Amino acid sequence: MERTVAVYGAYGHTGRFIVAELLRRGWTPILCGRDAARLEALAERFPGLVWREAALADAASMDRALDGAGAVINASGPFLDTAAPVIEAALRARIHYLDTSAEQRAAFAVYERFGDRAREAGIVAMPSVAFYGALADLLATAALGDWPDADAIDIAVGLDSWHPTRGTRATGERNHGPRWMIEGGALRVLPDPPPLGTQDAVLLTLSEIVAVSRHLRCPEVRSYMNLAPLNDIRDPDTPPPVASDERGRSAQVFVLDVQATRNGNTRRATAQGRDIYAVTAPLIVETLERVWAGQVPGPGAYSAGQVFDPFDFLGALSPDPLSVVVES
């Protein structure tokens, strides 16, 4: 079990980045998922790694897949379908659970349905440890700094393009529930946005809202995204991402800007980098390292900003794979 982690959905676009990052940091991944042919093909790319087919509806196969692992990373969406079966298997095995979900309700369910059970099982459960979710949560926590609370937090995502993976498209087809924002200090249903094309950005909230709501005191939290990537992702003819460097990253660039205001004062934290799928790998593996080292309060369900010093965590990732600037 020493530094061995099961990666469910290992053959997916993000999953392959995670496997490579785990190997780079000295972990032993177990390649897991629903498609035996794709697992076998991935194992040929990473000689020596074990692969195990596991069906979500087959608890016995899920248990076999996690056998010998000290943690499981779930990189297989839609997480509305995959999170519960994988975390149930993690609870039975009493191993840590992390996932890369951008889906608000999937993340919320990990906290609300499984938080107490994770504590009882002695494990840590952390959803949305990815570009969407953990990164904005860490930046918001850094922006607040020594403030005990904020009047408002605005999160802006800027992408020059968005070539969606198969998993992203499947999640979009599956995830039709209303989105939340934080208004009046509580999770509220996001109002319908105006038609696309009439503005440069749109109010678009993802799992970062759920993460922030776990620990930051702020009555108004909203997230925005520019329209170019949304137009890409809504176009069925937009191709999947294509590698453009030796690390397999696409040419996509991103800016994630968080602004916090309190009593008329403003603080800002900004991250810039390349490829939202690729940057998820160092985010989640850095989190795994810290969970493994016991840098959490104890068993339970947490967001990254809730348990980690954001300056230390983001500093470990800067200047590569992302650069971070915090302005007080």
Side-chain angles (χ1 to χ4, degrees):
M1 188 180 291
E2 185 65 22
R3 291 181 69 84
T4 299
V5 55
V7 181
Y8 195 79
Y11 45 70
H13 186 78
T14 303
R16 293 195 300 273
F17 280 117
I18 292 170
V19 169
E21 181 70 10
L22 287 165
L23 289 169
R24 189 183 73 81
R25 294 191 181 215
W27 289 81
T28 301
I30 300 171
L31 311 178
C32 305
R34 291 169 276 187
D35 190 320
R38 296 178 72 190
L39 284 169
E40 188 171 14
L42 183 64
E44 292 176 0
R45 179 176 167 184
F46 296 104
L49 294 186
V50 172
W51 65 270
R52 297 171 182 168
E53 181 183 6
L56 293 169
D58 183 350
S61 73
M62 291 295 300
D63 292 344
R64 287 193 297 271
L66 304 192
D67 183 43
V72 58
I73 292 175
N74 181 9
S76 178
F79 293 87
L80 288 167
D81 299 323
T82 68
V86 179
I87 198 171
E88 288 283 5
L91 288 165
R92 292 192 296 272
R94 295 183 179 272
I95 64 174
H96 304 308
Y97 170 90
L98 296 84
D99 74 37
T100 62
S101 172
E103 299 155 55
Q104 290 184 330
R105 291 175 189 274
F108 186 79
V110 172
Y111 295 121
E112 296 300 311
R113 282 184 59 191
F114 296 106
D116 289 341
R117 293 178 60 192
R119 278 190 292 276
E120 292 166 3
I123 71 169
V124 171
M126 297 185 68
S128 305
V129 188
F131 175 82
Y132 294 114
L135 185 52
D137 181 32
L138 288 160
L139 290 170
T141 308
L144 261 68
D146 59 357
W147 287 353
D149 52 38
D151 299 325
I153 297 173
D154 291 300
I155 300 166
V157 176
L159 310 177
D160 69 333
S161 62
W162 192 350
H163 288 222
T165 64
R166 178 162 63 176
T168 297
R169 289 208 181 277
T171 297
E173 294 168 0
R174 173 71 174 85
N175 186 23
H176 295 300
R179 298 183 189 274
W180 292 319
M181 60 182 178
I182 299 175
E183 185 176 65
L187 292 174
R188 307 288 187 192
V189 173
L190 190 71
D192 291 334
L196 292 177
T198 62
Q199 52 186 11
D200 293 329
V202 65
L203 190 62
L204 180 70
T205 58
L206 295 166
S207 54
E208 73 285 339
I209 294 295
V210 178
V212 166
S213 74
R214 303 301 300 177
H215 66 107
L216 294 183
R217 295 173 55 194
C218 183
E220 311 289 333
V221 182
R222 292 176 171 82
S223 298
Y224 304 86
M225 184 180 289
N226 61 316
L227 293 184
L230 296 178
N231 291 333
D232 282 345
I233 203 170
R234 289 185 169 100
D235 182 351
D237 295 325
T238 301
V242 176
S244 64
D245 70 8
E246 71 284 353
R247 291 158 63 177
R249 298 182 301 180
S250 73
Q252 179 198 53
V253 293
F254 66 79
V255 176
L256 205 166
D257 183 73
V258 179
Q259 180 173 289
T261 58
R262 184 176 189 268
N263 297 332
N265 298 308
T266 299
R267 289 177 173 176
R268 168 171 281 163
T270 304
Q272 299 184 53
R274 181 172 169 183
D275 194 331
I276 62 174
Y277 297 109
V279 79
T280 288
L283 276 165
I284 201 165
V285 177
E286 180 68 23
T287 298
L288 176 63
E289 294 272 12
R290 290 168 185 252
V291 170
W292 195 262
Q295 297 178 23
V296 291
Y302 304 104
S303 75
Q306 185 177 6
V307 291
F308 301 133
D309 180 317
F311 297 97
D312 180 60
F313 190 105
L314 294 167
L317 302 180
S318 185
D320 186 47
L322 50 79
S323 61
V324 177
V325 176
V326 180
E327 301 173 1
S328 299

